[in-house]
Amino acid sequence: MHGSPALDPNSGGTERYVHALAEASRNPVFTRDRTTQSPLSCRTVSGYPLWTLGLPAAPSAVFEDTYNIREVSSALSEVLVHEAAELVHFHHFAHLGFNAIEPVMEQGLPFVVTLHDYHLPCARGQLVDRNLKRCDGPSASRCAPCLGEHLQATPRLSRIGRSLPGRTPARLGRKLLSWLPNTEKQEHRVAHRIACARTVLEHANAVISPSQHLADRMLKLGWAKPSQTHVVDLPLVSPVEQAPPITDGPVRFLFVGSLIPTKGIEVLIEAFESLQEGSLTVYGPTPSYDGHPDFGQRILSRIKNCQNAHYGGVFSDTSRNQIYADADVLVLPSTWEENSPLVAREAAAAGLRIVASSVGGIHEIAPEARRVPPGDSNALLNSLREEVRTGHG
């Protein structure tokens, strides 16, 4: 897979699911550590073998290096032989590359793919374009403009960007590159990525989708076959205690997720600024988001200046039950087609009410959640007001 809670405390749902599966089955896990340069190694984590290849992202990497990573493929080949693997379960190909299936196929092993997002058909991972609009699906002509700066980048330009003082010149340079018209050659390069990604699913023995929505979307796009696609509801990674009831005080709203544009956090802040009732606590990391490098810091500033809003940082697993116990309503205002967010399962298990965007598979997990059109701060404000009127009941 593409990460591990043992390597990154900010790991998301995909990594937490793999960790839980491995912990229960004692099956080995292979991943890449992009924070260090080190040879393939193995250690025991929570009772299972964790194989790690230390391979930092090359600062001068060209577009093809994001999905075709030979070092990963050769390292995985060693792991498969050492572990005498009989079946391989891929959970994500980001940072591993689509060619990770090559050693699996060379050794004649069956493999299964679980879809956690849209990384296979979409280089940006969420079927959202650079203007933050939901995309109808991949094609060379549609994806090339969306990936403009990555296709235009070269090792020489990367070296120039790193030599400039400060980050502003490099950001301006990337923006200028994104404005250049795409060429037939660039469309061919995007088409090659699409073809490589399709090959993964064409050779998979089974494809697992945690939500019916994602399965239907992939089938509609022509990226999966009905005979190989299985919808499997994911369980909670760990038990969540029922939050103790309270009867008075302001309604406590909660947001848990990465502070990136597609999670809709800006829509939530805008609605909450107008609400002027209740309290809002926000938890989550502030990773860099392609094309919007300052987004996380801008959101932190808005939270700081918003009355009755608080940023709690990133919480540990040991704090999870308390986080939900200190809330009444979870808000999931995502603007991308969420697959099956773990936070929604946890909040439902804790007994929280849920307000969520009417896109993706969220409502398969929480069918009683209050639905809101994605990106509509006024509609979200009205839903928050309804939750205030409901109170703690």
Side-chain angles (χ1 to χ4, degrees):
M1 65 167 306
H2 70 322
S4 165
L7 303 175
D8 182 5
N10 296 337
S11 294
T14 302
E15 292 91 345
R16 290 182 61 207
Y17 270 122
V18 172
H19 174 75
L21 282 171
E23 195 173 33
S25 66
R26 298 295 189 264
N27 286 328
V29 172
F30 171 76
T31 189
R32 170 184 173 184
D33 184 353
R34 297 190 301 150
T35 66
T36 184
Q37 181 78 51
S38 62
L40 180 66
S41 61
C42 182
R43 57 179 164 140
T44 300
V45 174
S46 299
Y48 66 86
L50 176 64
W51 290 86
T52 305
L53 175 65
L55 185 65
S60 60
V62 296
F63 176 66
E64 285 71 17
D65 293 335
T66 63
Y67 65 87
N68 189 350
I69 308 167
R70 289 296 159 191
E71 297 90 339
V72 169
S73 182
S74 59
L76 178 56
S77 181
E78 290 184 42
V79 173
L80 297 177
V81 171
H82 187 278
E83 296 288 349
E86 297 178 348
L87 172 71
V88 179
H89 188 172
F90 286 104
H91 279 268
H92 220 291
F93 290 89
H95 315 314
L96 294 184
F98 303 139
N99 60 307
I101 69 169
E102 291 177 1
V104 179
M105 297 178 64
E106 288 169 0
Q107 296 181 32
L109 301 174
F111 71 90
V112 175
V113 176
T114 289
L115 303 171
H116 291 279
D117 57 21
Y118 294 99
H119 173 73
L120 280 165
C122 175
R124 301 177 69 89
Q126 297 180 322
L127 280 182
V128 172
D129 66 22
R130 65 180 304 104
N131 298 315
L132 304 180
K133 302 297 184 184
R134 290 195 300 280
C135 177
D136 291 332
S139 71
S141 60
R142 184 181 291 127
C143 296
C146 191
L147 299 170
E149 65 191 74
H150 304 287
L151 294 167
Q152 299 279 3
T154 65
R156 182 170 180 270
L157 286 174
S158 296
R159 287 193 296 271
I160 293 173
R162 293 197 304 276
S163 69
L164 296 173
R167 293 187 291 178
T168 301
R171 290 173 181 171
L172 289 175
R174 286 195 294 269
K175 182 160 287 191
L176 288 172
L177 288 177
S178 70
W179 290 342
L180 293 176
N182 59 294
T183 65
E184 185 176 351
K185 179 181 179 181
Q186 289 164 356
E187 291 189 7
H188 281 306
R189 294 172 67 193
V190 173
H192 184 258
R193 184 202 184 275
I194 293 173
C196 289
R198 280 187 173 277
T199 297
V200 169
L201 295 184
E202 287 170 358
H203 287 94
N205 295 80
V207 176
I208 296 172
S209 173
S211 71
Q212 187 65 54
H213 175 87
L214 178 58
D216 291 344
R217 190 78 157 92
M218 294 293 283
L219 290 168
K220 186 177 180 180
L221 289 172
W223 277 70
K225 303 172 185 175
S227 59
Q228 71 171 168
T229 305
H230 309 273
V231 178
V232 178
D233 188 45
L234 295 178
L236 285 172
V237 169
S238 56
V240 176
E241 297 176 2
Q242 185 83 14
I246 66 170
T247 57
D248 57 4
V251 171
R252 303 163 299 173
F253 295 101
L254 173 68
F255 174 94
V256 177
S258 295
L259 305 191
I260 57 176
T262 50
K263 285 291 186 178
I265 179 62
E266 193 164 32
V267 181
L268 172 56
I269 298 299
E270 184 175 338
F272 189 75
E273 286 172 340
S274 299
L275 181 64
Q276 299 181 339
E277 294 182 84
S279 66
L280 170 65
T281 305
V282 175
Y283 291 96
T286 56
S288 176
Y289 189 85
D290 189 34
H292 302 264
D294 298 322
F295 182 83
Q297 293 307 310
R298 191 171 78 246
I299 289 299
L300 292 183
S301 178
R302 289 190 69 172
I303 294 173
K304 183 179 180 180
N305 294 319
C306 182
Q307 187 176 5
N308 295 327
H310 169 70
Y311 175 61
V314 179
F315 60 81
S316 65
D317 277 344
T318 57
S319 304
R320 194 168 300 278
N321 283 321
Q322 190 60 50
I323 297 302
Y324 292 118
D326 290 339
D328 300 301
V329 182
L330 176 75
V331 187
L332 286 169
S334 298
T335 56
W336 78 286
E337 297 176 57
E338 289 265 16
N339 171 24
S340 182
L342 177 57
V343 62
R345 297 176 186 277
E346 292 177 335
L352 272 64
R353 305 195 300 275
I354 297 175
V355 175
S357 294
S358 55
V359 291
I362 297 173
H363 294 276
E364 296 176 37
I365 302 169
E368 296 181 0
R370 196 184 296 274
R371 301 186 181 213
V372 180
D376 189 333
S377 61
N378 287 327
L380 181 56
L381 171 60
N382 290 333
S383 290
L384 299 185
R385 283 174 174 156
E386 287 295 322
E387 293 297 341
V388 168
R389 280 192 281 269
T390 300
H392 298 283

